[in-house]
Amino acid sequence: MSAHKLSAHEVRAVCDPCEFDFETTMELPSLSEIIGQPRATEALQFGVDIESFGYNIFALGLPGTGKMSFIKSMLEEVAKSKPTPDDWCYVYNFSEPHRPRALKLPAGMGNELKRDMEKLIEHLKREISRVFESEDYQRQRQEVINALQRERDEVVTALERRAREMGMAIIGTPAGPMPAPLIGNAIMTPEQFMQLPDPIKEQIEQHRRELLSEIQAVMRDLGKREREARQQLEELDKKVAALAVGHVISDMLEKYAEYEDVVDYLKQVQEDVINNVDAFRATAQQGGTQAHPLTAVIFDRYKVNVLVDNGSLKGAPVIVETNPTYYNLVGRIEYRLEMGAFITHFTMIKPGALHRANGGYLILDAKALLSNPFSWDALKRALNDRQIRLEEPGEAFRLISIVSLNPEPIPLNVKVVLVGSPWLYYLLQAFDEDFRGLFKVKADFDVVMEKTKENVRKYAMFIASRCADEKLKPFDKTAVAKVIEYSCRLVGDQRKLSTHFASICDLLREANYWASRNGHDFVTAEDVKMAIEKRIYRVNLIEERLLEMFKDGALLVDVDGEKVGTVNGLAILDLGDHIFGKPTRITARTFLGRGGIVNIEREVAMSGRIHSKAVMILAGYLRGKYAQDKPLSIGAQLTFEQLYDEIEGDSASAAELYALLSSISGVPIKQGIAVTGSVNQHGEIQPVGGVTYKVEGFFDVCKVKGLTGQQGVIIPAQNVHNLMLREDVVEAIERGQFHIWAIRSIDDGVNILMGIEAGERQPDGTYPEGTLHSLVEKRLTEMTELMRKLQQPGERRDGGNNGRD
C-alpha cells in the first residue's frame, strides 16, 4: 500500500448542468411527494393503514428534514378517503346533574339538534302560555276552585250554625278559627265572662271545648280537601302541559327516531318541561322581558353543548396541536365567578385536540408534549382506555375536594403521530414502559439520500415547487447544479444528498434575493454562489480573527520547514451557525524512562475519554511494533500547543503517532503538511469526521501565511468521498499549489511527512537501513541498553538501596 495523491476532480463532486434536460425550473412539474425518505414513507403508510390497538406512530429525525409538513400533507390526503366522524354533544343529565350526558350524532347533526332544541323551547314558551290561557283550561281550573270554595262555605256555615246553638261564635285569630261566647249578638268580653256564676262558666267552657274539637276536625278535613284540590290543579296543569309539550316535541321524536340516545334524552326533556311548567308560564307572564335568574337556570338545562362539530369536514380530521398543554389536549371545564363563588355548567365544557381529532389523526410535537405537565400521562391514559375523560389535573393534589362536573367519557378512536428527535424516541423506549405498547410504529427520517439521477431530478422538482409556492424567481440549470453541490457539502459526502430541506429552502430564498439585487430574471449559479459566500461572511467573524492570529504569529503553526517531534493536527470548531477547521500544533517529547506515554491534557483533566483512549492505543502500537524482544525504556509526553479547551475525539491520533515517531527517531516532519485521521494498534488509519472543514481550515492558514506549492493535508483513504472542498481550494489543487494525500496506514504517510521510507520488517527481523522503523528501533534499543546499564548495581547512584532508607 502507498499514499494516493488526489486530483482536483476527486476532492469535489461537480454537478454538470448539461446533464439536465431543462433550462429553468419553470419547465419542471411541482413535486407532490417527499424525496429521499422511502423507509419513513413506508412506515407511515403502514402505521396509517393498520387499525390494531397500539399502532400509533413516532416520527423521528433531525429538525429541518420536513417531517411535520410531509406527515400533515400525507395524512390530509389519506383522510379524504376516510369516513367523516360523528359529532359529539354534551347535554343535561336529568337523573345525575353533575354528570353531563354525551350524545353521538352524524356529522353536522350536532348543531342541528342544538338549533332544534332552541326552537323547541321557544315554541314551548308560546304554546304553554297559549294553552294555559285558553278558556277550556280556565273553566276546568275554576271548576276545581269553585268546588273547593263551595265545600268550604258549606262546612263553615254548618259550623257557625252549630256554634249559635251553643251560644258561641267563631272568630278569626292568628292561630286560626277559635270559638267565643256570645251575649246576645255580641262577643262576651273577658270581664263579662269573669262576672258569670261558676256553673255558667263551666258550661260555656264545656261548649268551647266541644266546639274547638269540631273546628279542628273541620279544619283537618278542609286541609285535606285543599290538598286534593291542589293535586287536582297540578294534575290538570300536567295534563294540559303534556298535551302541549307532546304535540310540539312529537316532531323531534320522529326526526331523531333512529338515534336511541337522543330519543331517550328528548323524552327526559318532555318529562322535565312538564314538571317545570310554571317556569314557562312565569316567562310568558313577564311579557317577553328578560327571564328571572331562577327560570333562566331551568332553561339552561335544555341547551345543547356541541363539543365537536364535523359538519364542514370532508373525510377524517387531521389536527396539529402545536401547544399540547393538558387542557388543549383533553379539553377543560370552565368556571365563572358569580357572587363570590365559582360556578360551572355543562355548556362550559370545552373540547381538546383529542376531541377534534377523534375519528381521524392527531399530530403532536413530542418535546412540547413532554414539556407540559400532565399532558403525556393524559395522552397515554386516553389511548390505553380508548376514551377521553375530562378531569381536573390537580384534583389529586387538593387538600379539600370541590364540587365540579364529571362528564361522561367519550369513546376515542384516533391515530396519534408524535414528531420528535431520535434521542427522545430512544429515551422513551428505555424508560417508559407504556411507550412501546402505544407507539409501535417507528418512522425514521434520514438526513441523507442517495445521489442518483432520479433523486437529482426530484431535487430539481423540489426547487421548482418551492419557487412556485413562495413566488421565487425560477432557477436556471446552472443554479440547480450549484444547489445540488451545496446539498452534497451539507452532508459531507460526494455520493449523497441532504434531506435537510430547511437549509436548502433558506439557500433558495437567499439566492432569489441576490438574483433580484443583481437584476437577473432567473436565479443563476452566480447568485447561488453569492448567497453561500454572503451567508458565510455574516457568521465567520471569529474564523477571520483566528486567521489573523495565525498570520501575526500569535498562534504558532508553521506551514513550511521541518521540525522534529512537531506536526500540524486539525480540529473543528462548531459555533452553531458556522463550522470551520483550525490547525493545531501537536508536539511530542521523548526521554529515557519507563513512564510510557503521558497525555498532558489528561493529566490536567482537559482530555475527553475518547482522546485518552486514543493515546493509550498509541502505546499499544509502539509496544506491538518495537517491543517484541525487549521492553520499552522510554518516556514520552504529548500535548496540543495553545489549546485551552477540553480535547475530545481520536481524529488526531495519527498525527500524535507521527510526532512520537519523529521524536524517537530524530527525523524531522515537514511543517507544510497537516494530518488528520484515527489510528488503531496495528497502525491502520481509520476515517474521521469533518474532513472537508479540516482541509479548508489548513488551506486558509497556508494561504494567509503564503502558499509554497509543497503544502497539503494527509487524510484517511476512507474519507475521500467525504471531500466537498470549496472551489478556491480545488483550483489551488489543480494548479499544484496545494495537495491532498489519502493513506490507509501509518507507513503510507511516512515518506510524505518525513521524506524517508517507513520500511518493512525483513526475514531476519530487522528493518532496512535508513528507514524510519530502523531508526526508531535503533534508538529504542540504545535506550534499553542504557537503562540496563543504569540498573546495574555498580552504577546505581543510590548505592544499591533502591532509593529507600
Side-chain angles (χ1 to χ4, degrees), residues 428-446:
L428 291 170
Q429 279 280 349
F431 296 105
D432 194 314
E433 59 185 14
D434 297 324
F435 179 75
R436 296 181 186 179
L438 292 175
F439 292 87
K440 299 179 180 180
V441 181
K442 174 185 178 183
D444 204 346
F445 281 75
D446 202 352

Side-chain angles (χ1 to χ4, degrees), residues 34 52 58 63 68 93 110-111 134 163 214 253 269 280 341 390 418 458 462 484 504 555 573 601 661 730 750 802:
I34 192 169
S52 301
F58 193 108
M68 187 69 79
N93 190 333
N111 271 322
S134 65
E214 292 181 15
L253 289 171
V269 169
F280 289 84
L390 268 172
L418 289 183
K458 287 182 177 179
F462 169 77
I484 297 295
I504 300 300
L555 292 177
L573 292 182
E601 278 74 25
L661 295 175
V730 177
V750 170
N802 293 325

Side-chain angles (χ1 to χ4, degrees), residues 58 65 102 150 210 245 332 477 530 543 549 634 642 687 695 735 739 793:
F58 193 108
T65 52
R150 282 196 300 273
E210 292 177 3
V245 174
R332 63 188 183 278
K477 60 183 181 181
M530 181 175 288
E543 180 183 12
M549 295 175 72
I634 186 174
Q642 292 185 293
V695 171
R735 292 193 299 265
H739 312 279

Side-chain angles (χ1 to χ4, degrees), residues 350-424:
K350 304 300 178 184
L354 284 172
H355 294 100
R356 299 195 304 274
N358 201 4
Y361 307 94
L362 176 60
I363 306 172
L364 298 170
D365 180 82
K367 183 179 179 182
L369 178 69
L370 294 169
S371 299
N372 281 288
F374 308 110
S375 295
W376 174 236
D377 288 336
L379 177 64
K380 291 192 297 181
R381 185 164 53 249
L383 293 177
N384 274 319
D385 298 344
R386 305 186 196 185
Q387 63 182 13
I388 312 169
R389 185 181 299 275
L390 268 172
E391 297 174 327
E392 285 293 332
E395 187 63 32
F397 304 101
R398 295 184 190 274
L399 296 176
I400 301 175
S401 179
I402 63 171
V403 178
S404 183
L405 297 179
N406 182 23
E408 285 185 359
I410 291 178
L412 179 64
N413 177 26
V414 67
K415 183 75 70 173
V416 177
V417 182
L418 289 183
V419 181
S421 60
W423 72 269
L424 263 182

Side-chain angles (χ1 to χ4, degrees), residues 103-127:
L103 295 181
K104 180 175 72 172
L105 286 164
M109 289 197 67
N111 271 322
E112 192 169 342
L113 175 63
K114 179 180 181 179
R115 291 190 295 269
D116 287 344
M117 284 300 298
E118 290 172 352
K119 293 177 182 178
L120 172 68
I121 298 305
E122 291 302 318
H123 192 177
L124 285 175
K125 289 177 182 179
R126 295 191 299 271
E127 187 65 18

Side-chain angles (χ1 to χ4, degrees), residues 625-626 758-762 765-769 771 773-774 777:
K625 193 79 170 177
Y626 307 111
E760 293 186 9
R761 193 177 290 276
Q762 301 177 114
T766 63
Y767 291 100
E769 189 69 25
T771 61
H773 291 315
S774 70
E777 191 165 57

